[in-house]
Amino acid sequence: MLLESVHDRAELAELLRRTPDLRAYELGDLDDRFWPYTTWYRRGEALALLYHGAGLPILLALDSPDRCPALVELVSDLVPLLPRRFYAHLSPGVSEALDPGFRAESNGPHLKMALTDPARLLPTEDRPVRETAEPVRRSAEPVRETAEPVRVVELTTGDLAELNAFYELAYPTHSFAPSMVANGPYVGVRRGGELLAVAGVHVWSPSYRVAALGNVATRPDARGGGLASTAVTELCRRLLTTVDRIALNVKADNAAAIGLYRRLGFTQVAEYTELTFTARG
């Protein structure tokens, strides 16, 4: 089979919807807002995306384990076509296909998670009774008592200066960009005039009924009060009025974040690795 460049969104959507929770980011990138920044490659049933709308180009080459051998062959074909430096999200075993042309710097193993139990987003008293083999877990974030209540608010481009300052303090390795606020909903948790926690999206597409969460953070001096849970819960409730699937990426060693997402109804759907590649020579 030969390497093809694909330009038909219907064809791409059909391929991606075979594993929609794994490919939520790519499905979202079919949206009109992100489509102009995408280049898609196909070799048989294997599919890869090169996204160039967020600074350093990003290669997404992901698939279920049974189809990864075909994905390795596709990525091998891409070696002479890729930029000299790029970031990548790759299924296990795929990175070796780039060894002939690139040096790799790993950012570690990551998990893809998807919202599979949205009932957990409801207040406890409103949740339907359901049988489960797992005991109900209490939140690991005890709520701090305070005289002043918190408020969950929508954040807009008018809050950009405050958001930039917030992320520099709360999440220095963030991937936040100003365009993200314009492209999708962001919510913040405030107490008084202070922004204490934020949750947003990397992609949001009502057209393709999918969203991917991102840039979830809490200010260091406000951690341990359940504020991240509050922000993520409210954001998901809003998103579910326009999408059917909500997914996210998280570092595999971030036990606190993984625990938070599981309590809110997310489950792991795949493992993958994030790497930075630089051309040899």
Side-chain angles (χ1 to χ4, degrees):
M1 287 177 243
L2 297 176
L3 180 69
E4 304 174 65
S5 180
V6 186
H7 307 280
D8 185 331
R9 278 191 269 193
E11 176 185 349
L12 292 166
E14 181 182 357
L15 288 169
L16 295 169
R17 284 179 175 140
R18 296 176 184 177
T19 50
D21 291 330
L22 174 64
R23 314 298 287 279
Y25 281 73
E26 293 101 310
L27 270 168
D29 286 334
L30 297 176
D31 192 273
D32 287 346
R33 290 171 292 180
F34 309 109
W35 174 255
Y37 307 106
T38 63
T39 305
W40 301 83
Y41 297 99
R42 179 180 184 178
R43 190 180 192 272
E45 298 300 297
L47 185 67
L49 162 64
L50 186 64
Y51 184 79
H52 43 87
L56 196 66
I58 304 173
L59 174 68
L60 290 90
L62 302 154
D63 214 331
S64 54
D66 59 308
R67 287 199 285 265
C68 275
L71 190 60
V72 169
E73 294 181 1
L74 166 61
V75 172
S76 295
D77 290 343
L78 288 180
V79 168
L81 303 177
L82 293 169
R84 293 189 59 81
R85 185 172 171 81
F86 61 93
Y87 201 70
H89 296 188
L90 305 177
S91 287
V94 175
S95 63
E96 288 81 355
L98 294 164
D99 284 348
F102 296 90
R103 298 189 306 275
E105 180 184 348
S106 176
N107 193 29
H110 286 64
L111 306 180
K112 285 190 171 288
M113 304 184 77
L115 181 62
T116 56
D117 188 5
R120 292 203 177 196
L121 299 171
L122 296 171
T124 304
E125 63 272 15
D126 294 335
R127 293 179 190 168
V129 176
R130 58 195 300 269
E131 294 183 2
T132 176
E134 294 185 26
V136 176
R137 297 183 178 89
R138 289 184 176 273
S139 171
E141 299 179 348
V143 178
R144 295 173 179 171
E145 293 186 6
T146 177
E148 189 167 6
V150 298
R151 296 181 300 116
V152 182
V153 298
E154 181 178 357
L155 300 173
T156 70
T157 53
D159 299 299
L160 281 176
E162 187 177 18
L163 274 168
N164 285 325
F166 169 86
Y167 281 119
E168 288 303 313
L169 176 65
Y171 188 7
T173 59
H174 65 86
S175 56
F176 174 73
S179 60
M180 292 178 176
V181 178
N183 285 332
Y186 265 68
V187 299
V189 179
R190 291 189 184 278
R191 179 176 288 127
E194 297 182 302
L195 184 61
L196 302 181
V198 174
V201 295
H202 283 302
V203 294
W204 170 54
S205 174
S207 299
Y208 290 89
R209 306 291 298 175
V210 67
L213 304 188
N215 296 317
V216 177
T218 304
R219 210 173 70 182
D221 61 350
R223 289 172 185 163
L227 301 182
S229 295
T230 298
V232 172
T233 297
E234 179 59 25
L235 178 60
C236 288
R237 288 173 180 168
R238 296 185 184 202
L239 288 170
L240 286 171
T241 65
T242 62
V243 306
D244 303 317
R245 296 183 181 276
I246 301 176
L248 58 88
N249 297 338
V250 60
K251 292 195 77 167
D253 63 0
N254 191 343
I258 293 169
L260 180 155
Y261 295 132
R262 283 178 174 159
R263 290 192 297 274
L264 296 181
F266 287 81
T267 56
Q268 178 182 333
V269 297
E271 296 182 8
Y272 76 101
T273 305
E274 295 191 8
L275 311 97
T276 302
F277 287 91
T278 304
R280 298 183 185 276

